[in-house]
Amino acid sequence: MLAAREVKRFGIEPKVALLSYSNFGNPTNLNAERVSEAVQLLDERKVDFEYDGEMAADVALNPEIAAQYPFSRLTGPANVLVMPAFHSASISTKLLQELGGATVIGPILVGLDRPVQIVQLGAKDTTLVNMAALAAFNVSG
């Protein structure tokens, strides 16, 4: 998984949560099943980072809520969130920025020969500086 590899480049051990509206099969639905299939693919590939899913964002990020799922493989809050679709990722990002005051770095395209960063029309100067720094890190890293 490229996202986990990128997180490792920053010296952080990835804890990947594959997000869904359901938690570990409850309730079931075709969309949730696809997330479970992604977890099975990671199992088969024997990847070298922590991951689990399908789970809701609160389970992935809040240790008190996660404690209700003692079988979860994550040993702490997730630091990589894999969204089930682009639209859910976009909605979540905007909510984090507007309501939570989060600094969002990205989107980042990975797996290419050269770094590519995307900024939105009307991006703040801090966003441009962050993305330029990230591009420079990717060229030198």
Side-chain angles (χ1 to χ4, degrees):
M1 175 180 272
L2 288 173
R5 189 177 324 138
E6 289 298 309
V7 169
K8 283 183 178 184
R9 288 185 62 222
F10 287 101
I12 300 169
E13 273 305 309
K15 294 181 182 190
V16 179
L18 288 91
L19 298 182
S20 178
Y21 65 90
S22 68
N23 290 306
F24 305 101
N26 187 19
T28 60
N29 178 292
L30 180 61
N31 291 330
E33 289 174 14
R34 288 185 178 144
V35 177
S36 292
E37 290 171 8
V39 172
Q40 290 173 353
L41 286 172
L42 291 172
D43 289 344
E44 291 169 9
R45 293 181 182 177
K46 297 179 177 30
V47 296
D48 64 345
F49 54 86
E50 281 187 41
Y51 62 93
D52 208 356
E54 86 266 16
M55 64 179 66
D58 57 347
V59 174
L61 298 171
N62 185 324
E64 291 178 14
I65 297 172
Q68 298 173 30
Y69 302 91
F71 51 83
S72 175
R73 304 179 208 183
L74 295 181
T75 60
N79 56 20
V80 176
L81 304 175
V82 178
M83 306 287 176
F86 178 77
H87 65 276
S88 58
S90 180
I91 292 166
S92 300
T93 300
K94 298 297 182 192
L95 284 170
L96 287 170
Q97 285 176 296
E98 294 301 320
L99 297 176
T103 299
V104 175
I105 300 175
I108 302 169
L109 298 176
V110 295
L112 303 173
D113 290 338
R114 300 270 188 239
V116 176
Q117 277 68 38
I118 301 167
V119 295
Q120 294 182 352
L121 188 61
K124 296 179 182 176
D125 55 351
T126 55
T127 300
L128 295 172
V129 170
N130 286 341
M131 297 307 281
L134 186 60
F137 174 79
N138 283 332
V139 169
S140 64

